[in-house]
Amino acid sequence: MSEFVKYIGVIIILIGVAILVTPFLMGTTSNALLLTGLAVIILGFISFIAIWKRSN
C-alpha cells in the first residue's frame, strides 16, 4: 500500500492529462474541461512534491 501512496501524485497527473485529451478527441475546446484538466494536473504535481518531501 505504501508503494501505491508514493505514486498517487503521478496517477492524479495522468488523470488530468486524460481530461485534457478528451476535448481534443471529441473535436471541441471547452474551457471548463481545459481548466479542470489544468487544475487536476497542478493538484497532482503539488501532491507528488508533498509526498516525495515527506518520504525523504
Side-chain angles (χ1 to χ4, degrees):
M1 185 66 179
S2 64
E3 289 296 319
F4 174 73
V5 173
K6 286 183 182 179
Y7 298 109
I8 192 78
V10 176
I11 293 169
I12 294 172
I13 291 171
L14 290 175
I15 291 170
V17 170
I19 292 172
L20 288 177
V21 169
T22 302
F24 175 75
L25 294 176
M26 290 175 28
T28 63
T29 54
S30 170
N31 285 337
L33 280 175
L34 295 176
L35 289 175
T36 302
L38 176 65
V40 171
I41 289 174
I42 291 172
L43 177 69
F45 186 69
I46 291 171
S47 66
F48 176 76
I49 290 174
I51 292 169
W52 184 67
K53 281 188 175 186
R54 189 176 296 167
S55 68
N56 286 339

